[in-house]
Amino acid sequence: MEIRTVGVVGLGTMGAGIAEVFARGGLAVTAVEADPQALARGMAALASSLDRAVKRGKLTPAQSGEIAGRVTQAGKLADLAGADLVVEVVPEQLAIKRQVLTELDRACRPDAIFATNTSSLSVTTIAAGTAHPGRVIGMHFFNPAPVMRLVEVVTTVLTDPAAAGSVSGLAERLGKTPVQVSDRAGFVANALLLPYLNHAVRLLETGYATREDIDRAMTLGAGLPMGPLTLLDLIGLDTSLAVLEVLAREFGGTRYTPASLLRRLTDAGRLGRKSGAGFYAYPDGGQVPDEAGLAAGAPGAVTLLDPVAGADAASAGRAAALAGLLAGAGIEVSRDPAAGSGLVVVAIGAMGGVLDAVAEAEAGDRSADAVGIRLVNAELAEVVPSPLTSAVAMDKARALAVKAGLRTVTAPDRPGLLVGALLYPHLRDAAAMVADGYARPSDVDSAMTLGCGYPRGPIRMLDEAGLAQAAAILSAMHAAYGDPAFAPPPLLMACASAGLALAPRG
Ligand SMILES: NC(=O)c1ccc[n+]([C@@H]2O[C@H](COP(=O)([O-])OP(=O)(O)OC[C@H]3O[C@@H](n4cnc5c(N)ncnc54)[C@H](O)[C@@H]3O)[C@@H](O)[C@H]2O)c1
């Protein structure tokens, strides 16, 4: 069926944007909202979004007028009698959604398709309560709907494939990328995003790293558009907690069990930006502190140690790169631990091992002065103390990295350090989702790039990082913490040992 007329029920945060998407796509939209004030707000939000598009030259005033003219306001569901498709965008409560669908059963044509924009409820449960469950489907838009290109099209065991085809075809006509998946908690994007955000909270609450360093590790170190704690503040801590609870019920395990701190902040009313404070206080929150002033404290000469021989293949190259960078910043670099005094820099890799390197170099008497530095990329260094490192040495090491033109995060000497400890379990979850047949690599990558703004999808990131490196870090994390959530899935191990990519690229 070619969908031409649609109803949107609920014109709140998401509904107004979804109505705009349909109207921009040339469809006739009837918007039904229970609360007159919410209707006025929703229509005003739609109008101001179109005005912004005109100001930015994306639409002409005439086009904006045509789009607005396609949206009709209605007070009751009976006004949707002629709709080919009705999308419900009412609050995330099963009772409300069921009530709306029961009324739609009475109001609409028998061949109309009903879509739910639910993020966390079971589409199957919603469908099973209706007269025509074969025509009930999930159509999960991302916020803001006019901007984000991903639409997760969620089918249930009851869904008529023709209805799924019509809805996916419509999403494409609207300029979106549909990813068709079965009904499972969190679908693709939220099932991958939320456990990663939860892990970031756990690293904060256990004192693994500071909130700023956690966020900076993922923006500067992994290239993500926003740090996880800043993102939680944006999504809302209460919303995130609710989605995690649904995921925990479905999947169990530490990745999904909400971190205590997330629950406590929610209990305290610190819900993120919307309440004025979450992990950060707003409006100033989340700003990255400037480190430039630190450079003055950098020593003029250091001793550089290689990491433990054979720690990993790239270690010699890393030491040479760090030596070059320091020398380029005018710092005298000695490679002989027996000579000299002052700061000892260990050019560690993602596996860490500061004290092992000091012991191997028979430089145990300089342990308090030894600090690991890992070059993550051209912008960021992880600065890593051992349990014996003095505070003075840490300050000098950060100053040194800043003088060499890098930004820094402080990470404990644990497998993956900070960037890898956050990133690899996240990428592992994506590989596990592919391995268990829920989504194809291209769907996983589309979901995270188009729904969450990632510059590259997690499967591509894994392939680019090297599966052997990923498997080694995950195995070390699994051994260190004993949590099966870190164990590399067999598919990743198999591809790593065969030298294959998870998603071959043309
Ligand atoms: N907010 C997000 O970022 C986001 C993203 C993706 C999906 N979702 C999902 O979209 C749905 C709506 O979320 P939201 O954030 O837009 O909620 P919201 O509270 O902002 O809007 C819901 C609207 O529905 C209206 N409503 C309630 N009962 C109604 C009825 N019987 N008939 C007509 N209108 C009714 C309310 O008055 C309200 O304006 C939820 O299922 C949510 O999980 C939200």
Side-chain angles (χ1 to χ4, degrees), residues 8-16 18 32-39 41 75 77 88-93 96-97 99-100 103 116-121 139-144 190 235 239 243:
V8 174
V9 183
L11 224 56
T13 310
M14 286 303 285
I18 292 171
V32 180
E33 167 60 60
D35 172 359
Q37 283 178 348
L39 179 65
R41 267 199 310 273
L77 296 173
E88 73 73 14
V89 205
V90 298
E92 188 75 338
Q93 289 174 36
I96 301 180
K97 294 198 185 279
Q99 171 71 29
V100 166
E103 287 183 41
T116 170
N117 187 48
T118 183
S119 302
S120 62
L121 298 172
M139 194 173 190
H140 187 223
F141 287 86
F142 286 73
N143 191 5
N190 283 336
I235 296 172
T239 307
V243 177

Side-chain angles (χ1 to χ4, degrees), residues 406-500:
L406 298 160
R407 312 285 288 278
T408 73
V409 292
T410 300
D413 195 359
R414 317 282 328 240
L417 307 172
L418 181 54
V419 176
L422 267 169
L423 184 64
Y424 282 106
H426 184 34
L427 305 185
R428 176 221 170 269
D429 290 344
M433 187 179 268
V434 170
D436 69 16
Y438 183 65
R440 297 173 303 178
S442 57
D443 288 340
V444 168
D445 281 357
S446 293
M448 301 314 282
T449 51
L450 305 178
C452 304
Y454 283 25
R456 291 165 302 138
I459 301 296
R460 181 157 167 211
M461 280 196 235
L462 260 179
D463 282 336
E464 288 179 2
L467 298 186
Q469 154 98 346
I473 291 174
L474 287 165
S475 299
M477 289 182 73
H478 182 211
Y481 305 111
D483 186 341
F486 298 135
L491 175 72
L492 200 159
M493 297 300 274
C495 288
S497 70
L500 296 171

Side-chain angles (χ1 to χ4, degrees), residues 45-112:
L46 197 155
S48 78
S49 170
L50 292 175
D51 280 351
R52 279 197 303 277
V54 170
K55 287 205 184 85
R56 274 190 265 114
K58 302 257 162 114
L59 290 175
T60 65
Q63 285 169 324
S64 162
E66 277 170 31
I67 293 167
R70 290 193 198 107
V71 182
T72 311
Q73 307 175 31
K76 51 191 190 316
L77 296 173
D79 295 324
L80 301 178
D84 300 323
L85 167 74
V86 179
V87 185
E88 73 73 14
V89 205
V90 298
E92 188 75 338
Q93 289 174 36
L94 185 60
I96 301 180
K97 294 198 185 279
R98 276 198 150 150
Q99 171 71 29
V100 166
L101 267 87
T102 304
E103 287 183 41
L104 288 174
D105 267 335
R106 283 197 290 271
C108 296
R109 290 200 323 259
D111 64 338

Side-chain angles (χ1 to χ4, degrees), residues 348 354-355 370-372 383-390 394 410-414:
I348 52 169
V354 176
L355 276 187
V371 182
V383 180
V384 180
S386 83
L388 303 182
T389 304
S390 72
M394 268 308 280
T410 300
D413 195 359
R414 317 282 328 240

